[in-house]
Amino acid sequence: MNVRHLISVVAFAAAAASLPGFAQTTAGAGTVVVLPLAANIPGAYSTTVFVRNPSSNPQITVKVRYYQSNSGNPAGNGTPYTCSDLVIPSNQVMTFDLASQCTFPGPGVNNFGQILLEDITSTPDVKTHPFYAYSRTEATTGNGFSVEGFPVGNFSASTADAVGLKQTP
């Protein structure tokens, strides 16, 4: 290996080591982000949410809303449950458990639905602080699934088809 090639390899490795690694697409950032699957089923499943502020602003404040599924018990009615806001420092990731962030109707209730996260740092009609969100829903055994947050603009009001879902009794 010649000296120039060796210097190039070392320089590339040093540059790559100094860059942060992110596993989420840049198209996943938004000022209103939807996590379409979340659960708080005592003794069975729980959801942990990760929210990242990629900005150099001092901090952002994100409003957290949880909407119960229409087939939940009690069934969702389109009104979000009460949840605490989340403050995320500059270039940081904050996490929360759905059960500790939101107030649910009673003990032992099976809650599953979706989470809506919204930048409320600036004036209500001007949202200028994009962020990323990601969730992990796990069973008490550790098995589970992860879901990337989607900017609300990725959804439409028209009916959509879901491919690959299987309904079982």
Side-chain angles (χ1 to χ4, degrees), residues 71-98:
S71 57
N73 184 16
N77 61 9
T79 302
Y81 286 11
T82 303
C83 302
S84 301
D85 294 343
L86 187 66
V87 177
I88 308 145
S90 170
N91 295 311
Q92 297 291 316
V93 175
M94 298 297 291
T95 65
F96 66 85
D97 292 323
L98 185 59

Side-chain angles (χ1 to χ4, degrees), residues 1 3 5 24 36 71 74 77 108 135 150 157:
M1 179 182 294
V3 175
H5 184 66
Q24 192 165 17
S71 57
N77 61 9
S135 69
F150 298 94

Side-chain angles (χ1 to χ4, degrees), residues 81-167:
Y81 286 11
T82 303
C83 302
S84 301
D85 294 343
L86 187 66
V87 177
I88 308 145
S90 170
N91 295 311
Q92 297 291 316
V93 175
M94 298 297 291
T95 65
F96 66 85
D97 292 323
L98 185 59
S100 62
Q101 194 77 13
C102 301
T103 303
F104 293 108
V109 175
N110 293 340
N111 298 289
F112 53 93
Q114 69 178 356
I115 299 171
L116 185 80
L117 303 168
E118 179 180 4
D119 167 37
I120 58 169
T121 307
S122 38
T123 59
D125 50 347
V126 180
K127 298 180 187 330
T128 58
H129 301 95
F131 57 90
Y132 295 92
Y134 164 89
S135 69
R136 173 77 184 160
T137 301
E138 285 186 345
T140 54
T141 61
N143 292 329
F145 56 89
S146 302
V147 178
E148 186 175 329
F150 298 94
V152 75
N154 289 359
F155 297 91
S156 68
S158 62
T159 303
D161 293 322
V163 178
L165 297 179
K166 180 179 177 183
Q167 182 177 0

Side-chain angles (χ1 to χ4, degrees), residues 37-51:
L37 301 170
N40 177 48
I41 301 174
Y45 288 95
S46 63
T47 295
T48 302
V49 176
F50 303 80
V51 183

